[in-house]
Amino acid sequence: MRRIIPFIIAASIVTACSSIDCPLNNTVMAKYVLGGTVDVLEDSLSVSISRTNATDTLLLDRLTDAKDFMLPVSYHQPSDVLFFTFTGNGVTQTDTVTIEKTNTLHFESVDCGPTYFHTISHVSWTNHAIDSIVITKAEVNHDTSKGHLLLYLKRYR
């Protein structure tokens, strides 16, 4: 019996040291930061995306008083088409933003699900409420401490 106790202690120490550091959420988010003269959302912003099965999905609903926001990035599409709808003072303006990107499969561990990281290569937009968009960090992964896209809005009041 005394020979078994050291074996049990050694086995519990070895198994206790193994650590699986899987992210809690496999969704990779792009961070949008407002810049320029409009650095806080004064009007409400809703963002939807057109899906491949011809349906739209609302990603962000009536966000106000924010300096930044995060939106998920699609896994397999070579580009994402987003519809930014700004509503304020009875005026509604919708801009279409197209983000072209490359998708890279990211593998962390056998125990973790696969994740896709992205590299933003080009952004285009319409100019109703959005003045310009600048790519500040092209690599989109689990790090959202810095913004990926700098969004300049027009002041139309």
Side-chain angles (χ1 to χ4, degrees):
M1 184 66 159
R2 290 184 179 197
R3 291 183 185 180
I4 294 176
I5 293 175
F7 176 72
I8 292 173
I9 292 172
S12 64
I13 289 174
V14 169
T15 58
C17 291
S18 66
S19 172
I20 301 170
D21 196 18
C22 295
L24 296 176
N25 188 354
N26 276 356
T27 305
V28 176
M29 307 286 266
K31 187 173 185 177
Y32 296 75
V33 179
L34 297 179
T37 58
V38 182
D39 59 351
V40 175
L41 276 175
E42 298 167 355
D43 301 330
S44 73
L45 169 64
S46 297
V47 179
S48 60
I49 189 167
S50 180
R51 301 176 90 185
T52 55
N53 61 359
T55 61
D56 290 347
T57 299
L58 188 64
L59 299 176
L60 190 65
D61 190 24
R62 295 184 225 149
L63 178 69
T64 57
D65 297 324
K67 294 182 178 191
D68 58 35
F69 55 92
M70 293 189 296
L71 297 174
V73 181
S74 68
Y75 287 171
H76 301 292
Q77 307 287 345
S79 64
D80 289 344
V81 179
L82 304 164
F83 304 104
F84 283 65
T85 303
F86 298 90
T87 305
N89 292 338
V91 177
T92 299
Q93 293 180 323
T94 301
D95 279 309
T96 303
V97 176
T98 304
I99 301 172
E100 296 175 19
K101 60 191 174 55
T102 56
N103 306 312
T104 307
L105 183 62
H106 176 72
F107 179 76
E108 291 188 28
S109 169
V110 176
D111 298 322
C112 303
T115 303
Y116 282 89
F117 287 171
H118 313 279
T119 303
I120 300 171
S121 56
H122 185 263
V123 179
S124 59
W125 60 92
T126 57
N127 290 94
H128 302 288
I130 296 175
D131 183 49
S132 62
I133 300 174
V134 177
I135 301 170
T136 56
K137 183 180 172 193
E139 299 296 322
V140 181
N141 49 32
H142 293 302
D143 180 22
T144 58
S145 61
K146 296 181 181 176
H148 299 99
L149 297 163
L150 190 58
L151 186 65
Y152 291 96
L153 301 178
K154 293 180 182 180
R155 188 172 293 279
Y156 60 90
R157 293 180 196 248

